[in-house]
Amino acid sequence: MYKFILFCVFIHGIPSVSAQSVSTLMGARAQGMGYASSCLKDEWAIFNNIGGLSDLENPTAAFTYSSFPGFKSFNRMAALVGLPTQFGVAGLGVFRFGDDLYNEQLITAGFSNTFGIASLGAKVNYIQYNAEGFGRKGVVSFSLGGITRFTPNFSVGAHISNVLQPELSEEGDHLPTLLNIGVCFKPSQKLLLTTELEKDLDYALTWKAGVEYNVHKKFSLRTGFNVKPQAGFLGFGFAPSAFRFDYAFTYRPDFVSQHQASVSYQFKKKAK
């Protein structure tokens, strides 16, 4: 009965069981800053703004786990690999949400490169939905993103998910399209400020904002907030060498708290 209730929560308010019900924005760094990630350039750009993947300098592997204590059916996890090439940076990621009763799985492959002051990227996604008693449904979607660095301290980023709105059923149900646009300001080497607007074509506008402060070159503190829905965020990052660990916590007044821990490792380039 418990799992059935959770299942009803996820399908309530969406057109069909196949409709995408969970965010695939990932990475504890992004979460700690309120998911205001349109201008962030790191390995988790493969799930956030694909345009931000272009600054990856070394082959990288990463894993993250997002947990809702007491609600295991809501947990998410993702893994990725990023590979710089002479033409740009390629990335491959896998994502899973849910349990045996209902789950969503995603495989994404993307590519990003820098052209002058702009970093542009695109990715293709295969999303599969599994619901006990309703069967399985898979669909392919495309996403685009970019970041323009106008000055060393000021950037604008934007990305669009599920550009072509692929249909999921004969009734016309389709994947939701999300538009994100944000700005990033770095007043000093230690402080990063970012804010963005997110619009699902079927729902109200969400405002996000985040702050990252580098206490030390190996340690960072983060915070952020969202409006509609309301949420507060805290997090930190520790990068002693090629290894990096990030943690984030989210508090929502009308829902359970959320924790996320991410680890990544940058491999050394082979000597030529």
Side-chain angles (χ1 to χ4, degrees):
M1 178 62 69
Y2 170 73
K3 288 190 174 183
F4 177 76
I5 293 173
L6 289 180
F7 177 66
C8 292
V9 168
F10 274 102
I11 65 173
H12 177 69
I14 57 180
S16 71
V17 175
S18 295
Q20 186 174 354
S21 62
V22 66
S23 170
T24 56
L25 297 177
M26 295 301 288
R29 183 189 181 209
Q31 182 182 331
M33 302 172 71
Y35 286 112
S37 56
S38 288
C39 295
L40 298 184
K41 290 193 167 189
D42 58 25
E43 61 273 15
W44 292 105
I46 187 67
F47 290 103
N48 304 326
N49 182 355
I50 183 62
L53 193 65
S54 64
D55 276 16
L56 203 64
E57 297 181 351
N58 298 298
T60 301
F63 175 81
T64 191
Y65 189 82
S66 176
S67 171
F68 292 83
F71 290 83
K72 293 182 179 180
S73 297
F74 293 174
N75 293 350
R76 305 180 299 159
M77 64 181 70
L80 66 87
V81 290
L83 181 64
T85 72
Q86 60 179 329
F87 305 107
V89 181
L92 178 68
V94 294
F95 168 93
R96 178 182 167 86
F97 157 82
D99 56 13
D100 293 336
L101 179 64
Y102 176 78
N103 60 76
E104 301 178 14
Q105 301 174 75
L106 175 144
I107 299 176
T108 184
F111 187 82
S112 180
N113 201 0
T114 299
F115 305 90
I117 64 172
S119 299
L120 305 175
K123 62 179 180 176
V124 58
N125 316 293
Y126 176 73
I127 308 168
Q128 185 180 89
Y129 304 89
N130 300 285
E132 189 174 292
F134 291 90
R136 179 178 300 173
K137 177 68 176 182
V139 67
V140 176
S141 72
F142 299 91
S143 302
L144 302 171
I147 299 174
T148 300
R149 184 175 294 173
F150 291 97
T151 73
N153 300 322
F154 180 75
S155 301
V156 175
H159 59 107
I160 178 171
S161 302
N162 307 323
V163 179
L164 302 179
Q165 290 190 306
E167 290 191 353
L168 294 165
S169 70
E170 295 179 355
E171 290 76 21
D173 301 327
H174 56 78
L175 277 180
T177 295
L178 277 73
L179 305 171
N180 296 71
I181 183 168
V183 297
C184 179
F185 179 56
K186 194 170 184 178
S188 72
Q189 290 297 316
K190 290 188 174 184
L191 183 63
L192 179 67
L193 309 174
T194 182
T195 185
E196 74 175 62
L197 297 174
E198 178 180 281
K199 182 68 174 77
D200 184 319
L201 297 186
D202 298 322
Y203 294 95
L205 191 73
T206 297
W207 176 33
K208 307 176 182 180
V211 179
E212 180 178 64
Y213 182 73
N214 295 321
V215 180
H216 184 271
K217 64 180 181 179
K218 297 182 180 180
F219 186 76
S220 301
L221 294 176
R222 306 178 184 113
T223 188
F225 66 85
N226 287 177
V227 176
K228 290 187 179 181
Q230 280 68 28
F233 303 82
L234 291 171
F236 68 85
F238 178 59
S241 57
F243 170 82
R244 177 172 176 167
F245 174 80
D246 294 287
Y247 168 80
F249 170 79
T250 299
Y251 170 76
R252 295 180 176 88
D254 57 349
F255 198 56
V256 295
S257 60
Q258 176 188 0
H259 304 264
Q260 185 172 182
S262 305
V263 292
S264 65
Y265 185 82
Q266 293 191 9
F267 299 89
K268 292 182 178 180
K269 291 182 178 180
K270 292 183 178 180
K272 295 183 179 180

